[in-house]
Amino acid sequence: LSEAPSISGSRGPRRPTINDVAALSGVSKATVSNVIRGTGSVSERTRERVQQAIATLGYRPNAAARTLVRRRTNVIGLIVGDFANAFNAELVERVEQEASSREYTTLVCTTGKHPEFEAARLETLLEQRVDGIALLQFSGDRTLMSKLLTERVPVVGVSCWDDYIDCVAVDDYAGIALAVDHLVALGHRRIGYLTDELIESTTRLVRLDACERVLGMHGLELPRELVLGGDDPTRPGPGRSPVEGLFSRADAPTAIVATNDNVAIALIDELESLGLSVPDDVSVVGFDGSAVAGLARVGLTTVAQPAQELASDGLDLLLQRIDGGPDEAIRQRRLEPALIERRSTAPPKIPTK
Amino acid sequence: LSEAPSISGSRGPRRPTINDVAALSGVSKATVSNVIRGTGSVSERTRERVQQAIATLGYRPNAAARTLVRRRTNVIGLIVGDFANAFNAELVERVEQEASSREYTTLVCTTGKHPEFEAARLETLLEQRVDGIALLQFSGDRTLMSKLLTERVPVVGVSCWDDYIDCVAVDDYAGIALAVDHLVALGHRRIGYLTDELIESTTRLVRLDACERVLGMHGLELPRELVLGGDDPTRPGPGRSPVEGLFSRADAPTAIVATNDNVAIALIDELESLGLSVPDDVSVVGFDGSAVAGLARVGLTTVAQPAQELASDGLDLLLQRIDGGPDEAIRQRRLEPALIERRSTAPPKIPTK
DNA sequence: TTGAAAGCGCTAACAC
DNA sequence: GTGTTAGCGCTTTCAA
């Protein structure tokens, strides 16, 4: 009749607290705390009694209470885009494993295909008072970045670049150069570029720019009409797709450099559904080195990013920033990419003059 | 000289608290709390002053403090296996989006290729006092499950089954039946099964068993030697792989049902590297309906799971359990799978007698 | 080696 | 409509 009120979320008897342990073992909660954390000096006898009490009670420290007094969560937040891009998922998994091995818990926030969720997700991480944030995806929104900066929360870009924060990313220029040089060496002269509106914005621009510059060094150009994807509003529209439009032209490119494996693979699908053969009619190079590119049936030539190193270096940077504070100099690292040649690239069928 | 001590993790001036907001706006913190949460009754004038103070201070509520007093985190934990299995990643993303739209934050814990991490990950979630746990992967460890049960923490299995918890999963039997019926209809009589040691254990057994039973209904058998993968210790060993061994036999199967798309695709790779053609020499059916199966170049015939429904039903079950407490009856749902026919299946080359 | 006490930042009664 | 008060479960001086 006069039961405890059924507070939503309260389940039966309340969980044991440090006070319960203290009472059962006949010591103060300060001592229990010392035993749990292995700090201070506790006699062997006391320690055993306390541990006994912990075991019989099934006591487990409450992270929120600890966080409150320690002003530190031991949680790091991750902002990541779309898992449809397999490389994102792979990177998240590695970062999580790295964090976990360093006694950190990870709060993963995906923005999916909605970069506009980014602000809300960041807000969540800030409310949770994460000790640091790893950006695997960043829209490039300056307002957001300056908010992060004024919050003085440790932030690292992992496979994601911003001038004002610690970063580790693949050397985009070198990666694109690997792709372009490979195609040029095969004899391609008319090379297009495929971007992805979902890719992190700085990277998108850097890679596109790199492509143009590297082509320039070979005496080649990247005319506007050979750039596909990105902010092209005609893409999902009616009528011919941009890909179909481009490849029905007389001066269609013989090769495409794609900004990531995800769109590269989608492009191959579309080209082949149009009756074009890869690599006979068109060569395609991806970027990421995701597992799916390596399937024999896919066989995508791609520029591989060192995923494990990105994850562990990224975490190093973040943890050092957490310990060092915001006034240490910004540290940025570029990692070396590697070309993986598979069967999506070949010499052009009809050599251009 | 006498600066504030550089406590690890403390960055410059402390963040504003509800007290700072109260002081600046000249009201009590209870009123501030009411404004923030939209509870109680606050005059329009006061509300504005408080909101003004919040804005100028850049105040943001502290989740840990709120958690401590409310005894509720609004966080749900996810335990998931390996993201190399693309379906896992997809499911996580959907669950996270669903949770987020219901004002819950998600704590994702991956166990990767190490099911033995499961216990530690669960421990983390329990210390964080998550309001509930969604198991997208469960080793089947009875000790672990009984611990979860005695903890009385709300748990739901999503695409993951256990008799003692709320669950939503695809109808494994129906799914396997779809696959087997399809192969039998094509004329296959000697059909093998490929399992995956990383798949959630109950599901692994159920699907294998289903395969045997459905074959039985067609008057066919599933002899032990036609079952590949799983706990087969010879797999990574030297010499011929089990796949190579099986398919060099005179009585090799003409078709394989795989327990998920991930291993199905790996199998196709291996078969083709052995010089066998899919589907000419061997038909392969997957299970999951992951995006990668749908790539034109992969073209895997597969049994699709309704991923979105799994995610949203799973979250419904979990939230209802959180609100309803542990004494409500267990609720379990099976969702209908659907066969997606692609080009990895075809009639057997040489009809068996 | 151990304990007492003072909060961490917030919510929820309850008083005014 | 607003303020006062008493914790939530823990860590951390500081005394004993």
Side-chain angles (χ1 to χ4, degrees):
Chain A
L1 205 53
S2 70
E3 289 245 315
S6 175
I7 301 161
S8 141
S10 89
R11 269 164 302 290
R14 209 153 45 268
R15 308 187 99 75
T17 73
I18 198 171
N19 285 310
D20 300 325
V21 177
L24 180 59
S25 50
V27 300
S28 73
K29 52 183 192 169
T31 299
V32 175
S33 179
N34 278 329
V35 170
I36 291 167
R37 294 173 304 132
T39 56
S41 46
V42 187
S43 75
E44 192 50 41
R45 236 187 106 259
T46 309
R47 178 190 319 287
E48 271 170 21
R49 277 226 313 286
V50 170
Q51 259 150 0
Q52 178 62 43
I54 289 176
T56 64
L57 253 29
Y59 169 74
R60 178 177 296 113
N62 179 318
R66 175 175 289 173
T67 289
L68 197 54
V69 46
R70 300 218 49 208
R71 295 215 188 79
R72 180 193 238 283
T73 52
N74 264 291
V75 172
I76 65 166
L78 256 55
I79 297 285
V80 59
D82 188 2
F83 279 176
N85 182 335
F87 186 73
N88 282 342
E90 190 182 332
L91 210 49
V92 166
E93 184 165 7
R94 289 180 196 251
V95 170
E96 204 224 302
Q97 303 281 345
E98 285 287 330
S100 165
S101 75
R102 293 153 147 117
E103 311 286 284
Y104 273 83
T105 300
T106 329
L107 207 47
V108 182
C109 292
T110 64
T111 57
K113 303 198 188 299
H114 305 273
E116 68 273 18
F117 287 175
E118 197 174 76
R121 297 290 192 275
L122 278 172
E123 200 59 35
T124 300
L125 295 182
L126 292 173
E127 285 198 6
Q128 296 290 337
R129 298 290 194 273
V130 292
D131 290 340
I133 295 178
L135 258 25
L136 310 202
Q137 148 73 42
F138 181 58
S139 64
D141 183 331
R142 298 323 302 169
T143 314
L144 260 190
M145 181 51 76
S146 73
K147 180 200 265 186
L148 284 177
L149 259 23
T150 59
E151 297 285 345
R152 317 199 93 196
V153 53
V155 179
V156 65
V158 178
S159 185
C160 183
W161 202 266
D162 188 282
D163 288 341
Y164 295 94
I165 58 174
D166 293 333
C167 290
V168 55
V170 74
D171 184 334
D172 290 307
Y173 183 88
I176 294 294
L178 246 25
V180 171
D181 290 351
H182 169 62
L183 291 172
V184 170
L186 286 171
H188 293 276
R189 292 294 173 268
R190 199 156 167 81
I191 297 171
Y193 189 82
L194 171 64
T195 181
D196 179 355
E197 56 195 4
L198 287 177
I199 200 180
E200 184 261 318
S201 62
T202 311
T203 302
R204 178 172 55 212
L205 264 39
V206 168
R207 291 189 188 164
L208 176 55
D209 180 60
C211 189
E212 195 157 4
R213 282 164 58 203
V214 175
L215 282 169
M217 293 179 61
H218 289 286
L220 301 172
E221 288 195 336
L222 181 62
R224 188 112 199 74
E225 68 268 23
L226 294 196
V227 178
L228 284 167
D231 44 17
D232 188 336
T234 64
R235 187 138 72 132
R240 295 196 308 185
S241 77
V243 170
E244 184 171 3
L246 180 57
F247 284 92
S248 57
R249 296 165 56 134
D251 60 350
T254 62
I256 296 281
V257 175
T259 198
N260 63 36
D261 287 351
N262 197 40
V263 292
I265 289 168
L267 175 66
I268 292 177
D269 256 33
E270 186 166 3
L271 288 171
E272 296 192 333
S273 79
L274 256 27
L276 290 163
S277 156
V278 175
D280 294 342
D281 298 313
V282 186
S283 285
V284 175
V285 184
F287 201 119
D288 277 350
S290 60
V292 57
L295 295 175
R297 286 199 164 190
V298 174
L300 179 68
T301 294
T302 186
V303 176
Q305 302 197 46
Q308 182 56 46
E309 217 180 330
L310 284 169
S312 69
D313 282 16
L315 231 71
D316 284 344
L317 286 177
L318 187 56
L319 298 197
Q320 285 170 25
R321 174 65 59 187
I322 289 171
D323 289 336
D327 298 325
E328 309 260 311
I330 287 178
R331 307 200 308 164
Q332 307 196 309
R333 288 196 61 189
R334 286 287 185 184
L335 268 28
E336 280 310 300
L339 184 74
I340 304 180
E341 293 183 42
R342 287 195 274 245
R343 57 189 187 76
S344 70
T345 49
K349 209 162 46 177
I350 300 150
T352 51
K353 57 166 175 279
Chain B
L1 205 53
S2 71
E3 289 244 318
S6 176
I7 301 161
S8 143
S10 89
R11 268 163 303 291
R14 209 155 43 268
R15 309 188 98 77
T17 73
I18 198 171
N19 285 310
D20 300 324
V21 177
L24 179 60
S25 50
V27 300
S28 73
K29 55 181 193 170
T31 299
V32 176
S33 179
N34 278 330
V35 171
I36 291 167
R37 293 174 302 134
T39 56
S41 46
V42 188
S43 76
E44 191 50 40
R45 235 186 105 261
T46 311
R47 179 190 317 288
E48 273 170 20
R49 278 227 314 287
V50 170
Q51 259 150 1
Q52 178 63 43
I54 288 176
T56 65
L57 254 29
Y59 168 74
R60 178 176 296 112
N62 180 318
R66 176 176 290 172
T67 288
L68 197 54
V69 49
R70 300 215 50 210
R71 296 219 189 77
R72 182 193 237 282
T73 53
N74 259 32
V75 172
I76 64 165
L78 256 55
I79 297 284
V80 58
D82 188 3
F83 279 176
N85 183 334
F87 187 74
N88 282 343
E90 190 183 333
L91 210 48
V92 166
E93 185 165 9
R94 289 182 197 250
V95 170
E96 204 223 301
Q97 303 281 344
E98 285 288 329
S100 165
S101 74
R102 296 164 207 218
E103 311 286 285
Y104 273 83
T105 300
T106 331
L107 206 47
V108 181
C109 291
T110 64
T111 57
K113 303 197 189 299
H114 306 273
E116 68 273 18
F117 287 175
E118 197 173 77
R121 297 289 192 275
L122 278 171
E123 199 60 33
T124 300
L125 296 182
L126 293 173
E127 285 198 6
Q128 295 291 335
R129 297 290 194 272
V130 293
D131 291 341
I133 295 177
L135 258 24
L136 309 202
Q137 148 73 41
F138 180 58
S139 64
D141 182 331
R142 297 324 301 169
T143 315
L144 261 191
M145 181 52 75
S146 73
K147 180 199 267 188
L148 284 177
L149 259 24
T150 58
E151 296 286 344
R152 316 199 94 195
V153 54
V155 179
V156 65
V158 178
S159 186
C160 184
W161 202 266
D162 188 281
D163 287 341
Y164 295 94
I165 58 174
D166 294 333
C167 291
V168 55
V170 75
D171 185 334
D172 290 308
Y173 183 89
I176 293 294
L178 246 25
V180 171
D181 290 351
H182 170 62
L183 291 172
V184 170
L186 285 171
H188 293 276
R189 292 293 173 270
R190 198 156 167 82
I191 297 171
Y193 189 80
L194 171 63
T195 182
D196 178 356
E197 56 193 6
L198 287 177
I199 201 180
E200 185 260 318
S201 63
T202 311
T203 302
R204 177 172 55 211
L205 264 38
V206 168
R207 290 190 189 164
L208 175 56
D209 180 60
C211 189
E212 195 158 4
R213 282 164 56 202
V214 176
L215 282 170
M217 294 178 61
H218 288 286
L220 301 172
E221 289 194 337
L222 180 61
R224 189 110 200 76
E225 67 269 23
L226 293 195
V227 178
L228 284 166
D231 44 15
D232 187 335
T234 66
R235 187 139 72 134
R240 295 196 310 185
S241 76
V243 171
E244 185 173 3
L246 179 57
F247 284 93
S248 58
R249 296 164 57 132
D251 59 349
T254 63
I256 297 282
V257 174
T259 197
N260 64 35
D261 287 352
N262 197 38
V263 291
I265 290 169
L267 175 67
I268 292 178
D269 257 33
E270 186 166 3
L271 288 172
E272 296 193 332
S273 78
L274 256 28
L276 290 164
S277 157
V278 175
D280 294 341
D281 298 313
V282 187
S283 284
V284 176
V285 184
F287 201 117
D288 278 349
S290 61
V292 57
L295 295 175
R297 286 200 164 189
V298 174
L300 179 69
T301 294
T302 186
V303 177
Q305 302 197 46
Q308 182 57 45
E309 216 179 331
L310 284 168
S312 70
D313 282 15
L315 232 70
D316 284 344
L317 286 177
L318 187 56
L319 298 196
Q320 285 169 26
R321 173 65 57 187
I322 289 172
D323 290 338
D327 298 325
E328 309 259 311
I330 286 177
R331 307 200 308 164
Q332 308 195 308
R333 289 197 59 190
R334 286 287 185 184
L335 268 28
E336 280 310 300
L339 184 73
I340 306 181
E341 293 183 40
R342 287 196 274 244
R343 57 189 187 74
S344 70
T345 48
K349 208 161 49 175
I350 300 150
T352 50
K353 56 168 178 275

